[in-house]
Amino acid sequence: MECASVQRMLVVHPTRIYLSLSFILGVLALNTNTSFGSIVLLLATMRLFVLTAHNRLHGVAKLALSGAILAVAATLSNATTTLDATPGSHYSTLLSLFGLSFFESSVIVIALYADARLCRARSKSGPTYFIFPAVWSFILFFVPSVSALGYLGTWNPIVGIDAYSWLRPIAGPPSIDFVTGAWAVVLSEFVGAWIMDPEEADSCNLISVSDSEDTSGDKRIRRSSSPIVIGTMLCMLVIPSFFQDTLPRPLFGEDVEALRVACAMPTRTSPHLRLSFADMLLETQRLVPHAKVVLWPEGAVKFNTQQEL
């Protein structure tokens, strides 16, 4: 009975529940330490919401609201990091962060909307489920190149991808994003099948299908077996990670050359004393005989006028 009530709430009040979950998952996921599992949960939640809302009353407004909520979540999650890295007015910094986050969230919502429309126009066959992962990996490859934040606040998983890390040297970072999108599709399909019975799916528009689509028992079995097959394939992709050598290379050896690195950190005579370019240059000259690479801390030297350059 309790499961039935939860299912009914998700069908009757999808906007409130899905957007609330999206905001909570967005705050937890969209930070500088993004985990694979949190991104999959967030994507699956958003995909279920878009599949549910895009064909209902005020669907476009609800999708725009979801993009704004995701932008607010990303802004809150990255506010501290962004404010520490950028000087100036906090209000303008947060406003810029929200604007860039809203741009990225809007692109992601549009991709989910396109996936929902394509799923409605075509039969739910195996290749259809790979549309969103392909679009998703392309977006995460394209957006950081045009965004001023780069990969800050993006949806690229950083933690928890060890099982698929062997794909990166072969197919590049988009391969990890493709796997992430594929897992989100599989999870959303299983949750969507649990939320409502097959007989209620068309009337409630959880997974939109065309009127001409065959809804016989054999057809539903073929559609429902595709996520199982894709999930099995994703699990099989984990197998090579068990044979991958994850141990670090030895520090000393015939094929290992040591690289001496130092960090220029001049001593301050007073905690309120501001280091100048001359101080950093003097410390660098002292470290040059001992290291091949000398690193300067981020924001160590600031130039306020043209004459100081």
Side-chain angles (χ1 to χ4, degrees):
M1 185 64 67
E2 293 181 358
C3 291
S5 62
V6 173
Q7 293 168 326
R8 180 170 179 79
M9 288 178 60
L10 289 170
V11 173
V12 177
H13 306 290
T15 303
R16 300 177 185 177
I17 297 177
Y18 284 129
L19 292 186
S20 298
L21 289 175
S22 299
F23 177 77
I24 296 173
L25 292 173
V27 173
L28 297 176
L30 304 179
N31 49 46
T32 56
N33 200 29
T34 307
S35 66
F36 177 81
S38 61
I39 288 296
V40 169
L41 289 175
L42 178 58
L43 274 179
T45 303
M46 283 300 302
R47 186 172 184 267
L48 283 170
F49 170 70
V50 174
L51 287 169
T52 305
H54 84 281
N55 203 30
R56 292 190 174 188
L57 185 64
H58 307 302
V60 176
K62 293 177 181 178
L63 296 182
L65 178 62
S66 66
I69 289 177
L70 290 176
V72 172
T75 302
L76 292 177
S77 186
N78 294 280
T80 303
T81 305
T82 306
L83 293 176
D84 291 341
T86 56
S89 174
H90 289 179
Y91 296 104
S92 59
T93 301
L94 291 176
L95 186 61
S96 301
L97 177 61
F98 174 79
L100 293 171
S101 300
F102 183 72
F103 165 74
E104 183 175 5
S105 301
S106 300
V107 173
I108 293 171
V109 171
I110 291 174
L112 289 169
Y113 176 76
D115 172 66
R117 298 293 296 181
L118 289 173
C119 288
R120 177 181 175 87
R122 299 184 178 185
S123 61
K124 301 279 286 190
S125 57
T128 307
Y129 292 102
F130 290 105
I131 294 176
F132 175 72
V135 176
W136 169 252
S137 58
F138 173 77
I139 289 174
L140 291 191
F141 177 78
F142 171 75
V143 170
S145 63
V146 299
S147 173
L149 295 178
Y151 283 94
L152 180 63
T154 59
W155 298 40
N156 301 80
I158 300 175
V159 181
I161 59 174
D162 297 337
Y164 299 102
S165 59
W166 65 273
L167 289 171
R168 182 171 289 168
I170 301 175
S175 60
I176 305 295
D177 300 325
F178 186 91
V179 171
T180 305
W183 269 120
V185 170
V186 171
L187 180 60
S188 62
E189 289 294 327
F190 278 118
V191 174
W194 171 80
I195 288 175
M196 58 181 60
D197 296 330
E199 291 80 6
E200 299 175 355
D202 294 340
S203 61
C204 295
N205 290 324
L206 178 68
I207 309 284
S208 299
V209 295
S210 60
D211 295 336
S212 59
E213 184 177 359
D214 184 8
T215 57
S216 62
D218 295 338
K219 188 72 173 181
R220 284 199 301 269
I221 292 175
R222 286 199 296 268
R223 288 205 306 267
S224 61
S225 65
S226 294
I228 298 177
V229 174
I230 297 173
T232 304
M233 294 170 57
L234 293 173
C235 292
M236 293 179 63
L237 287 176
V238 176
I239 296 177
S241 65
F242 292 100
F243 304 96
Q244 184 182 19
D245 186 10
T246 57
L247 296 177
R249 297 185 62 183
L251 297 178
F252 304 99
E254 297 181 356
D255 59 341
V256 177
E257 182 179 356
L259 177 63
R260 296 182 178 180
V261 181
C263 182
M265 295 288 292
T267 303
R268 297 189 182 188
T269 57
S270 172
H272 303 289
L273 179 65
R274 181 180 175 182
L275 296 175
S276 63
F277 180 78
D279 296 330
M280 296 296 300
L281 186 60
L282 182 63
E283 181 70 9
T284 302
Q285 292 174 348
R286 187 182 68 82
L287 295 173
V288 164
H290 307 285
K292 292 185 178 181
V293 178
V294 180
L295 303 177
W296 285 21
E298 183 180 1
V301 178
K302 297 180 180 179
F303 301 100
N304 298 319
T305 63
Q306 187 70 22
Q307 288 74 18
E308 293 181 359
L309 294 176

